[in-house]
Amino acid sequence: RVVYPDTTAPVEVVLTAYDYFRMGVAEFAKMRWSACIFDEAHKLKNHRAKLYEAACELPQTRRFGLTGTAMQNSYDELFNLMDWACPGCLGEKKPFKLFYCRTMQQAQRFDVDERTLGLGRQRADALSRLLKKYLLKRTKAKVLAGQLPVKQDNVVFCELSPLQTRVYRRLIESADFQVLVRHAELCDCGSGVQRSRCCYAAPTGPPEGAPIWHSLDHDTHVGRGGEPMCPYCMCLLCINILAKISNHLELLKPNPKDPPEKFERDHAVAKLAFGEDAHLMGSVDRVDNNYDRMAAATNCGKLLALEKLLALWHRANDKVLLFSCSVRLLDILETFLVRRGYVSCRLDGNTPQRERQKLVDDFNKSSSLFIFLLSTKAGGVGLNITSANRVVIFDPNWNPALDLQAQDRAYRIGQQRDVDVYRFLTSGTLEEIVYQRQVYKQQQSNMALDAVKERRYFEGVQGDKEHQGELFGLSNMFALASENVRMQELVARENRAARDFYRIEKVGHASAGNEAPLGAKRQGRGGGGEGE
Ligand SMILES: [Zn+2]
Ligand SMILES: [Zn+2]
């Protein structure tokens, strides 16, 4: 549908949405455009996507892309975007990846030799020089310098509580998780075949004690090319369960409103997870599923950290935005705040559109409203909450771009006070691994775009099976602290100077009971959050 302005003059500018453009590309391609501008140009990262193909139909001269993330996950994305904007500017893809990316990634490993390191840095410089011809970089910090106060990113590493640790360990040692982690090992029956093709093959799987496995219909799990998808079919479920434990144990509570199969599975998982600790919550089998005894902050590393930080901030007259992706977690947090006597308001997906602005205005005006509870999805867009100077992201998103949007609620024009952002992570768990991957990707991006000399923290190389190191691979994801190389140790072993820069102070059980100053790990470059 084309809307023409009420004038006889020829149309000079066409403004369109991607869907309409994609569907009407034949019409668009007929016209002689002087320039094409693509907002959110990171949508052009996949050269197989329909939108990408359509965008390539446009004239090759004067293509412009605007984006905050030229490279989010891989060098492929960067290449595709640049190759669309200025066809051929980076040459052919294969030699590009071999010459620049492989060398730079290998040089980023922790245990790399001097020669590879030198070569990697040379290539990073060369790539950065090449990109500068085509890429104009503007950061919020630079463009709006003087108009915006300072934003500080912090990562708060919380310890799992002893109960959380036991629950976490019970699960990763359970039959379900072991099917996943050890699927490629040779089968215990001595057949010489790997486990997932032998005694643990779908649909039979492990005999018992595997409620997740047995809740799935493995007969239907076949890929498009006929390849088996099991046991990978369990990945997301397993990840979500571990994430729940990291955030709050009460999230394991089965919801009677769920469909019966899901309720049954959640109940079986909770039973398995709590094991001999079940009495601590008044038994998992009670009909009312009362997990009240879980609510104590001492059972939750993140709540304990939050409790301490809130006490400090309340005294300092700060105002806090508290974000969570999950409505159930918001419920838990709200109950917690009420019990502590803090005045808060709340906005989530269920808040009617017309009431949202009023909530925001009230919060901005009122001096007694201390905390604003927000769901990342509903609160992440279109609100202007400039009275808050502390932002807590209780359960970080797997996609850091969404967390950035959340931070920007408070960090925008009109903001008077400096803003501190706190991302809560439980150390040693899956959350920390995901965080490390984000840091790794951000480092790769910084190296490519700016030739920044990043510290070499990691042994893993993305997409390289020989060098999975501590970052990539299933067995690393489903492991716990002691079996894992942790961020703090990685930082410490780099050099002592790094330790001064990264103030490593833990908020959580390690400091519980003493009055040590509360701190959070300060992030250097590479943690994201530069806010382009
Ligand atoms: Zn076997
Ligand atoms: Zn399956």
Side-chain angles (χ1 to χ4, degrees):
R1 189 172 68 107
V2 182
V3 181
Y4 292 102
D6 189 14
T7 156
T8 50
V11 173
E12 292 181 315
V13 177
V14 171
L15 198 61
T16 184
Y18 284 135
D19 284 342
Y20 291 109
F21 164 68
R22 193 166 43 77
M23 289 183 295
V25 63
E27 292 299 310
F28 279 99
K30 275 187 215 152
M31 308 222 203
R32 290 213 323 275
W33 306 102
S34 344
C36 315
I37 303 171
F38 277 60
D39 194 15
E40 312 274 345
H42 46 266
K43 293 203 161 95
L44 298 174
K45 64 186 179 186
N46 179 0
H47 67 293
R48 289 202 194 90
K50 288 254 156 51
L51 177 63
Y52 192 92
E53 286 170 7
C56 288
E57 300 283 310
L58 295 169
Q60 296 209 352
T61 48
R62 295 201 206 125
R63 290 178 180 171
F64 297 94
L66 314 174
T67 179
T69 40
M71 171 172 156
Q72 194 174 23
N73 289 303
S74 69
Y75 288 104
D76 273 337
E77 297 175 0
L78 177 68
F79 181 90
N80 293 336
L81 178 60
M82 296 309 294
D83 199 53
W84 167 78
C86 315
C89 69
L90 300 181
E92 294 286 323
K93 187 184 274 184
K94 236 184 167 171
F96 166 80
K97 284 177 72 178
L98 212 61
F99 186 78
Y100 293 110
C101 317
R102 285 286 293 173
T103 324
M104 284 158 61
Q105 283 181 323
Q106 296 292 355
Q108 196 62 11
R109 282 171 46 211
F110 180 77
D111 58 352
V112 72
D113 60 84
E114 284 301 313
R115 206 191 76 85
T116 315
L117 180 65
L119 196 61
R121 299 221 150 132
Q122 260 177 27
R123 297 282 158 89
D125 281 336
L127 176 58
S128 174
R129 276 200 306 275
L130 177 62
L131 284 170
K132 278 212 176 86
K133 294 185 195 167
Y134 307 99
L135 200 117
L136 200 60
K137 193 172 166 174
R138 293 285 180 270
T139 60
K140 207 178 196 174
K142 276 195 194 124
V143 178
L144 297 179
Q147 296 178 51
L148 273 179
V150 180
K151 185 178 84 169
Q152 183 77 58
D153 285 313
N154 303 279
V155 173
V156 181
F157 283 103
C158 310
E159 297 283 299
L160 287 177
S161 74
L163 178 59
Q164 276 174 310
T165 309
R166 292 200 295 276
V167 168
Y168 202 98
R169 192 175 295 279
R170 249 178 233 125
L171 273 179
I172 55 179
E173 284 168 1
S174 74
D176 274 324
F177 283 74
Q178 290 300 307
V179 169
L180 200 48
V181 173
R182 299 175 56 200
H183 75 280
E185 289 178 18
L186 293 183
C187 192
D188 359 319
C189 70
S191 63
V193 181
Q194 74 176 53
R195 282 163 61 107
S196 62
R197 302 265 161 76
C198 188
C199 302
Y200 298 85
T204 327
E208 55 192 13
I212 305 173
W213 174 275
H214 290 294
S215 73
L216 297 169
D217 185 6
H218 298 287
D219 284 325
T220 61
H221 294 169
V222 185
R224 263 186 235 157
E227 72 281 5
M229 284 156 61
C230 312
Y232 296 108
C233 57
M234 305 207 298
C235 260
L236 205 59
L237 269 171
C238 289
I239 286 173
N240 285 339
I241 291 170
L242 293 186
K244 283 179 184 176
I245 300 174
S246 302
N247 288 320
H248 198 287
L249 286 173
E250 204 182 317
L251 295 170
L252 287 181
K253 177 162 112 180
N255 183 357
K257 286 180 191 147
D258 280 336
E261 317 86 69
K262 183 169 185 307
F263 179 84
E264 277 313 311
R265 179 180 68 214
D266 290 352
H267 180 246
V269 169
K271 209 167 164 175
L272 191 78
F274 284 106
E276 54 215 36
D277 287 316
H279 65 280
L280 287 173
M281 352 163 285
S283 159
V284 275
D285 281 328
R286 273 175 47 175
V287 237
D288 58 356
N289 278 301
N290 193 338
Y291 280 47
D292 253 9
R293 290 186 223 173
M294 288 290 93
T298 44
N299 280 329
C300 176
K302 287 191 177 183
L303 263 194
L304 204 60
L306 183 69
E307 188 175 41
K308 292 182 163 228
L309 288 170
L310 287 181
L312 280 178
W313 296 341
H314 193 252
R315 260 179 267 147
N317 275 330
D318 293 329
K319 293 189 88 153
V320 185
L321 302 186
L322 180 50
F323 279 96
S324 167
C325 315
S326 130
V327 172
R328 274 184 83 187
L329 195 48
L330 283 176
D331 291 342
I332 294 170
L333 290 170
E334 198 171 14
T335 311
F336 169 78
L337 295 176
V338 170
R339 283 188 186 165
R340 289 291 175 283
Y342 292 127
V343 188
S344 65
C345 55
R346 168 171 172 166
L347 189 156
D348 59 35
N350 296 322
T351 314
Q353 207 69 36
R354 61 196 135 75
E355 282 170 28
R356 295 187 180 189
Q357 192 55 48
K358 189 178 176 320
L359 271 173
V360 173
D361 292 343
D362 286 350
F363 182 78
N364 281 339
K365 266 183 258 154
S366 161
S367 55
S368 60
L369 275 170
F370 172 44
I371 300 167
F372 203 147
L373 274 164
L374 293 144
S375 77
T376 314
K377 266 203 206 105
V381 281
L383 298 170
N384 215 342
I385 321 178
T386 49
S387 65
N389 63 328
R390 309 271 181 192
V391 177
V392 173
I393 299 178
F394 198 83
D395 44 343
N397 210 290
W398 299 149
N399 176 1
L402 293 180
D403 284 342
L404 267 179
Q405 279 181 1
Q407 299 170 15
D408 280 351
R409 289 316 100 219
Y411 184 62
R412 44 177 51 215
I413 298 167
Q415 177 67 34
Q416 305 290 326
R417 297 196 277 185
D418 290 351
V419 176
D420 268 289
V421 179
Y422 300 82
R423 280 204 284 169
F424 279 27
L425 296 180
T426 40
S427 51
T429 70
L430 186 75
E431 279 187 339
E432 188 172 348
I433 304 257
V434 172
Y435 169 70
Q436 289 171 1
R437 288 185 191 187
Q438 288 171 4
V439 172
Y440 178 84
K441 284 173 181 170
Q442 185 67 42
Q443 285 188 336
Q444 297 299 312
S445 164
N446 288 349
M447 279 201 318
L449 301 179
D450 300 327
V452 174
K453 288 190 181 59
E454 292 286 1
R455 290 185 186 287
R456 290 164 295 125
Y457 293 133
F458 305 118
E459 264 158 37
V461 175
Q462 198 175 6
D464 183 343
K465 282 227 167 80
E466 297 286 299
H467 290 115
Q468 288 207 325
E470 66 281 88
L471 266 192
F472 302 99
L474 276 181
S475 52
N476 290 323
M477 281 177 67
F478 299 115
L480 193 56
S482 52
E483 300 119 43
N484 226 315
V485 189
R486 290 160 53 170
M487 193 67 182
Q488 288 94 327
E489 291 157 26
L490 286 165
V491 172
R493 83 182 181 194
E494 174 74 0
N495 60 27
R496 280 200 59 82
R499 213 183 303 186
D500 297 334
F501 183 60
Y502 285 72
R503 281 187 303 127
I504 304 163
E505 288 164 3
K506 284 184 211 159
V507 186
H509 284 265
S511 58
N514 63 39
E515 285 301 310
L518 277 166
K521 207 191 82 165
R522 179 158 296 185
Q523 272 191 279
R525 290 193 66 97
E530 219 192 358
E532 284 167 39

